Amino acid sequence: EVVYNDGGGVKGIATRDVGIGKDGEPKSTFERGVELHARQVFFAEGARGSCSEALIEKFNLREGKQPQTYGLGIKEVWEI
């Protein structure tokens, strides 16, 4: 998840807890998630990742923009 500072800017990210059973209780492999803070944070999870979507919504990054378009390309064609 995205972590914000007091001014509303991005402060870092928080990892999730791991090792939680289906019943919601911690297993023997439980490890608490951590917050990672930085002066600069790069989000490289793709255009439709959960953190990216949260940032797009919070900062209105799609306002006045065209919808995304996608293309398909072929790098090589082999004749066999």
Side-chain angles (χ1 to χ4, degrees):
E1 86 184 72
V2 181
V3 177
Y4 300 98
N5 62 25
D6 293 336
V10 175
K11 181 178 183 179
I13 59 105
T15 63
R16 294 188 176 147
D17 295 343
V18 294
I20 299 174
K22 291 180 182 179
D23 60 357
E25 295 296 318
K27 300 188 311 187
S28 62
T29 57
F30 176 79
E31 289 188 35
R32 174 75 60 200
V34 296
E35 282 193 9
L36 303 169
H37 300 169
R39 285 181 285 169
Q40 297 176 342
V41 181
F42 294 90
F43 292 90
E45 62 176 354
R48 305 295 283 185
S50 58
C51 290
S52 296
E53 286 292 327
L55 292 169
I56 288 167
E57 184 176 330
K58 179 173 178 64
F59 296 110
N60 297 319
L61 298 177
R62 286 200 180 114
E63 186 176 318
K65 306 293 187 288
Q66 297 288 332
Q68 290 182 341
T69 58
Y70 300 91
L72 178 63
I74 297 174
K75 182 177 176 185
E76 297 178 12
V77 177
W78 292 14
E79 183 178 334
I80 299 177

